[in-house]
Amino acid sequence: MEKLLESIIESNLKYTDDGKVASYIPELSKANPKDLGICVISLDGKQYSAGDYNKKFTLQSITKVVSLIIALLDNGKKNVFSKVGMEPTGDSFNSIVSLEVKTPNKPFNPMINAGAIATTALITGNSVEEKMEKILEFTRKVTENPDINYNEEVYLSEKATGDRNRALAYFMKSNKLIDGDVEEILDLYFRQCSLEGTCVDIAKIAAMLANDGILPWSGERIISREVSRIVKTIMVTCGMYDESGEVAVHIGIPAKSGVGGGIMAAVPRRIGIGVYGPSLDEKGNSVAGMRVLTDLSDELDLSIF
Ligand code: DON
């Protein structure tokens, strides 16, 4: 397996030249566009990796999966999906247009920014710190990594430049889709996006999802089979933004990307995968990372379809 991963990384390195590192959050532009790494975790707990699998990056939109899970645990399916839909959108991840002009009059799904701001707003707790601690605790437990934290510089950088997210959030408040202090909700959203980890960390979250909510290495149940199923389904239809259909055809694995360059992919009942390559295409997905996933899916026949 390790040999296969090494050869896939090697043969796809050239595609890192085809994209650009995200720069709309100034701190993200410091990443090395040539980085490319992968970690695969099997459901008997074995770990295989290659390339820059140990480099830290901010998980960004990959954390939308975590906030959806916690919102579901805190509020139940019915309440969560009364505030956010479960339909894919052909619009970009930070699009504002559908909030007003399309039906339903709520964010289309929890994987776009508006939807994730709405799920973040549903996380219960007495303060931003307490809610963030909940997100951190959950992630530390699933990744078995007590050092998981958010990157202060990236958080502050996004907070200083996140006016489009501010616009989305205030618009949703005016439509009663979110309650409470908008700046506090955004503060939690920006911190959560800045959560830092490696390919190994996201492969572990993916392995838990692949294993129907149970940690493969300890047998501990983290979330119900139903929550795990909901999350994976939404990852297939919406996880790669307006490229989700193409990813379903070419890769066929529930996956979630982030503008930090990560892709988390969960192959039901088989493996969890974490990929990192910060050079992005115009939709915000890792260019070489998607090539790596395509080759791995072809080699191991991973498509769920
Ligand atoms: O809200 C934002 O713009 C970022 N913190 C997260 C966006 C993101 O990762 C979209 N990904 N492809």
Side-chain angles (χ1 to χ4, degrees), residues 24-25 60-61 64 93 113 158 165 189 193 241 257-259 284:
Y24 77 101
I25 300 172
Q60 296 295 337
S61 286
K64 292 177 164 89
F93 67 82
N113 287 8
E158 183 164 354
N165 286 325
Y189 173 77
C193 287
Y241 307 108
S257 59
V259 290

Side-chain angles (χ1 to χ4, degrees), residues 33 51 54 148 168 177 216 230 236 285:
N54 232 348
I148 291 277
L168 291 169
L177 291 165
I230 293 172
V236 171
N285 293 321

Side-chain angles (χ1 to χ4, degrees), residues 61-96:
S61 286
I62 294 171
T63 62
K64 292 177 164 89
V65 170
V66 175
S67 50
L68 172 60
I69 290 174
I70 299 178
L72 284 166
L73 296 178
D74 282 357
N75 304 272
K77 182 168 79 172
K78 197 162 161 247
N79 287 334
V80 170
F81 291 110
S82 70
K83 304 283 189 193
V84 57
M86 44 177 103
E87 299 301 335
T89 149
D91 303 322
S92 62
F93 67 82
N94 56 6
S95 173
I96 197 160

